[in-house]
Amino acid sequence: MPSDRLQRFRDRLALPLIAAPMFLVSGVELMVAACRNGVIGSFPTANCRGAEQLDEWLTEIEARLRRHEDQAGRRAAPLCPNLIVHRSNARLEQDLAVLLRHKPEIVITSVGSPAPVLKPLHDAGALVLADVASIRHAERAAEAGADGLILLTAGAGGQTGWLNPFAFVRAVRAFYDGIIVLAGGISDGRALRAAEVLGCDLAYMGTKFIATRESMADERHKQMLVESSADDILLTTAFTGLQTSMLRPSIAAAGLDPDNLPARGAINITADIDVAARDSRPKRWRDIWSGGHSTSGVTDVLAVEDLVAQTIAEYREAGGR
């Protein structure tokens, strides 16, 4: 059964789906397109250069969605900023202040406990979804009062989880009756319907939204996803110090050997490639790209409208409402 906390949004969603927040990928155009088409749009506040640009982004997105609602005669899906709550985020207070002024309906917290930001966000009327990668972290976020848990599972793109999604969802559902969002491996509407049967209220779709016309991703990144499969995804700690799913071809293109990377510890990209390649100064995320196991489901670069329509058809064929 869907969590009661989501009932207020049900008639605004074409699918029980969130366009995952992706660093250097999720921007204004992707958010507007996702929300217009009935998918919750999420983006990392870190994609903005600072609090001033974050305010500009939110103002523009909100205005464009209001115009769409006036023209279409129906409300768009919610917008959902993603806030890094780890103490290393020097912008946390400034970004939080911007969000509180704009009063988003949903906020995702990442890389730490949501506890420090829960009260102000709740007071502003936001549901707070906390992403977690272990049972213990799920328990702690639930105890803190998170409205929902985003379960980062094996197969998610970028910084990922390691638990099997079947085991993780069922273990968390045994003690938690709030919103559960599955993150990792959702490549089509059939997989989305399976997530619901498993006990989830929503799911992330990330990799397929990278390969959309509206995403901010480099066009080479989009094409690489089309040409790659799940076999081309490498799980490594070499670039961030955390388990991260990266595209092997992008690692090789940067002058590195995907099969001979350090076991742990962020690579100094410009120091670890040969001298002749240093002028190009490749950087992780900008030149070394992420992708999830659902890369096998990326067959073309689509407009968001077409991706959502295709996913709706698949979802309904699988028995979704």
Side-chain angles (χ1 to χ4, degrees):
M1 286 291 292
S3 169
D4 290 343
R5 300 177 191 184
L6 282 176
Q7 288 306 316
R8 62 174 128 157
F9 305 125
R10 287 292 168 186
D11 63 349
R12 296 163 56 189
L13 301 182
L15 289 164
L17 190 64
I18 299 175
M22 296 174 286
F23 187 53
L24 300 184
V25 171
S26 307
V28 171
E29 297 303 324
L30 181 54
M31 293 305 92
V32 170
C35 294
R36 280 177 173 173
N37 285 281
V39 170
I40 297 170
S42 64
F43 71 98
T45 62
N47 279 357
C48 301
R49 288 189 299 272
E52 183 176 350
Q53 187 178 50
L54 174 60
D55 181 65
E56 292 170 356
W57 275 30
L58 289 170
T59 299
E60 179 179 353
I61 294 168
E62 290 161 0
R64 290 175 63 179
L65 290 179
R66 281 195 298 271
R67 288 198 296 271
H68 166 76
E69 290 170 346
D70 290 343
Q71 294 167 0
R74 57 181 174 81
R75 294 197 66 189
L79 179 67
C80 179
N82 172 211
L83 192 61
I84 303 298
V85 294
H86 193 268
R87 61 181 177 275
S88 63
N89 180 11
R91 289 173 40 186
L92 175 57
E93 289 187 12
Q94 295 94 328
D95 285 1
L96 176 61
V98 174
L99 297 189
L100 295 177
R101 288 199 301 273
H102 283 267
K103 300 183 183 300
E105 296 173 282
I106 311 173
V107 173
I108 294 168
T109 64
S110 297
V111 199
S113 171
V117 299
L118 273 172
K119 186 178 188 308
L121 287 172
H122 280 162
D123 288 347
L127 291 179
V128 179
L129 311 181
D131 69 14
V132 295
S134 70
I135 302 297
R136 179 59 189 139
H137 286 153
E139 291 171 339
R140 291 174 63 184
E143 291 165 3
D147 301 291
L149 303 176
I150 298 166
L151 309 188
L152 301 177
T153 70
Q159 291 182 349
T160 186
W162 52 88
L163 290 174
N164 175 283
F166 289 91
F168 200 4
V169 172
R170 297 314 302 160
V172 171
R173 191 49 93 195
F175 66 82
Y176 184 68
D177 64 359
I179 300 164
I180 288 183
V181 184
L182 176 61
I186 302 298
S187 61
D188 58 22
R190 187 170 291 275
L192 179 59
R193 177 60 184 143
E196 282 190 312
V197 173
L198 192 57
C200 300
D201 300 282
L202 299 164
Y204 267 10
M205 181 179 281
T207 302
K208 292 189 81 169
F209 277 102
I210 298 175
T212 57
R213 295 174 192 165
E214 293 89 347
S215 92
M216 297 193 302
D218 189 297
E219 293 302 319
R220 296 168 299 163
H221 186 182
K222 298 177 186 182
Q223 191 57 39
M224 188 175 288
L225 288 170
V226 172
E227 296 168 358
S228 298
S229 75
D231 286 347
D232 293 301
I233 302 302
L234 177 67
L235 184 64
T236 178
T237 60
F239 299 103
T240 69
L242 300 173
Q243 295 279 5
T244 309
S245 296
M246 308 296 281
L247 279 162
R248 295 173 65 93
S250 70
I251 298 171
L256 297 168
D257 180 359
D259 296 317
N260 190 31
L261 296 174
R264 189 172 185 84
I267 288 176
N268 180 346
I269 300 297
T270 57
D272 288 315
I273 57 178
D274 61 58
V275 174
R278 287 185 187 174
D279 288 343
S280 62
R281 304 182 68 83
K283 296 181 180 179
R284 63 177 179 265
W285 308 122
R286 190 193 72 181
D287 301 294
I288 298 178
W289 300 314
S290 66
H293 290 180
S294 57
T295 296
S296 285
V298 180
T299 58
D300 199 1
V301 177
L302 301 174
V304 166
E305 181 178 12
D306 294 331
L307 173 59
V308 173
Q310 175 181 295
T311 308
I312 289 172
E314 296 160 347
Y315 176 71
R316 289 177 178 167
E317 286 174 5
R321 62 171 181 81

